[in-house]
Amino acid sequence: MLRDPFIDEAFIPDLMWFIGSFNVYDREDSRGVELEIYNPNNQADRAELIRRYSLNLNCLSYRHKFLLVEALANKLADKSYDFQRLFDVDEDEASSWPRGEWYALESPRAFLQNVYELAQEVWKDDLLQARSEDQSAW
């Protein structure tokens, strides 16, 4: 069984792995300032955000990345899946986004679709390696 890289539990491919790096809670003066220059609704900015932050998951092995991409593909295939809820911030949570556009993305589904497309490119070798293995042996 594939283990979580930070805790000794089974790895659950949660889509928050892709957007958690944009959480600026208690880092408004560092990460928040860094991210303020980007507009997640602008295609060029979005691609830069995804490459630089969403897919910069060096703590994950190629197997983890494969499972994340597969989970994302399954959610994208589900036309009723509510991607907005990933960006909703519960007032009781220690969580916040860099600025207003993050709280009202024009299309959270399109954002995650772009993550999927860029992951196919950026993680190409990792995904190929994982596909060549017997996943049941993980």
Side-chain angles (χ1 to χ4, degrees), residues 6 14-28 30-36 38 40 45-60 68 86-87 94-99 102 111-112 115 123:
F6 298 110
D14 186 339
L15 299 186
M16 288 305 291
W17 280 94
F18 291 122
I19 62 172
S21 60
F22 304 118
N23 182 345
V24 297
Y25 181 81
D26 213 18
R27 301 182 299 168
E28 293 86 356
S30 55
R31 178 60 59 94
V33 171
E34 188 179 324
L35 293 173
E36 273 182 0
Y38 298 102
D45 283 359
R46 182 185 298 177
E48 182 69 20
L49 285 164
I50 292 168
R51 286 177 186 278
R52 184 174 285 179
Y53 299 97
S54 294
L55 301 178
N56 189 13
L57 298 174
N58 297 327
C59 61
L60 299 181
L68 278 174
L86 296 171
F87 292 91
S95 186
S96 63
W97 300 120
R99 56 188 229 185
W102 289 93
F111 187 94
L112 274 294
V115 169
W123 292 349

Side-chain angles (χ1 to χ4, degrees), residues 50-84:
I50 292 168
R51 286 177 186 278
R52 184 174 285 179
Y53 299 97
S54 294
L55 301 178
N56 189 13
L57 298 174
N58 297 327
C59 61
L60 299 181
S61 73
Y62 65 97
R63 292 173 175 172
H64 292 97
K65 292 174 183 177
F66 174 81
L67 292 177
L68 278 174
V69 169
E70 290 295 301
L72 179 53
N74 289 337
K75 299 296 187 203
L76 289 167
D78 179 357
K79 298 299 180 195
S80 67
Y81 187 80
D82 180 14
F83 287 92
Q84 177 60 50

